């Protein structure tokens, strides 16, 4: 287990020391999908749900979550967030959240992008649960990352 960066030789978890890494531009994009009924998606898009305007609320929740990632994920480093883009779209029985995060730092922003997408999807769920208790969140994943020692990667 000593080849895992967050595990010490004795098996205990620790925060990785990134002080020797170069400060470089880094970016990541993650997604999360909320599955619900098509009529609920239509109400999300037209703003007619009982709890109000879903998309704007979820967008703000994503941005707030990105900035709080190191408070939520124990081994994440606090990062200077340079920018966050949140796109939320709906069609058929799905609402898709895509969050892109940028920084100039010593470590990447994949966890920040994942946290933003997850919290945005949770916010949508919270706002639709009164009209669809069976809604579910699926497909939370990193779509791409740029920068850092391991280079660029894309699932697209």
């Amino acid at each position: 287990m000593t080849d895992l960066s967050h595990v010490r030789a004795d098996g205990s978890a620790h925060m990785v020391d990134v002080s020797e890494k170069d400060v470089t531009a880094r970016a990541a994009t993650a997604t999360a999908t909320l599955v619900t009924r098509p009529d609920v998606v239509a109400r999300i898009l037209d703003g007619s749900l009982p709890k109000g305007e879903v998309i704007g609320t979820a967008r703000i929740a994503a941005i707030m979550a990105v900035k709080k990632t190191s408070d939520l994920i124990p081994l994440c480093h606090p990062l200077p967030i340079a920018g966050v883009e949140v796109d939320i779209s709906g069609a058929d029985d799905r609402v898709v959240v895509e969050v892109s995060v940028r920084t100039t730092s010593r470590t990447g922003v994949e966890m920040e992008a994942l946290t933003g997408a997850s919290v945005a999807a949770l916010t949508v769920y919270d706002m639709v649960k009164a009209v669809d208790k069976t809604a579910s969140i699926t497909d939370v994943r990193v779509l791409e990352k740029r920068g850092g020692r391991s280079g660029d990667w894309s699932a697209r």
Side-chain angles (χ1 to χ4, degrees), residues 32-95:
T33 301
L34 180 113
V35 180
T36 185
R37 299 188 318 262
D39 65 296
V40 175
V41 173
R43 291 183 73 183
I44 290 167
L45 297 176
D46 72 17
S48 66
L49 283 171
K51 282 197 171 184
E53 206 276 302
V54 175
I55 293 175
T57 304
R59 183 176 293 114
I60 295 299
I63 294 167
M64 291 174 66
V66 165
K67 296 190 299 183
K68 292 291 190 180
T69 299
S70 66
D71 292 337
L72 300 169
I73 310 296
L75 302 179
C76 281
H77 294 81
L79 297 176
I81 302 301
V84 180
E85 294 292 329
V86 181
D87 294 311
I88 301 172
S89 59
D92 302 320
D93 66 345
R94 293 168 192 276
V95 174

Side-chain angles (χ1 to χ4, degrees), residues 140-152:
V140 177
R141 63 191 184 107
V142 174
L143 295 176
E144 63 185 10
K145 71 161 267 325
R146 292 187 310 278
R149 185 174 31 193
S150 64
D152 298 352

Side-chain angles (χ1 to χ4, degrees), residues 91-112:
D92 302 320
D93 66 345
R94 293 168 192 276
V95 174
V96 177
V97 177
E98 191 170 295
V99 176
S100 297
V101 182
R102 292 174 307 287
T103 190
T104 302
S105 189
R106 297 178 190 277
T107 189
V109 286
E110 297 92 55
M111 292 307 301
E112 287 73 9

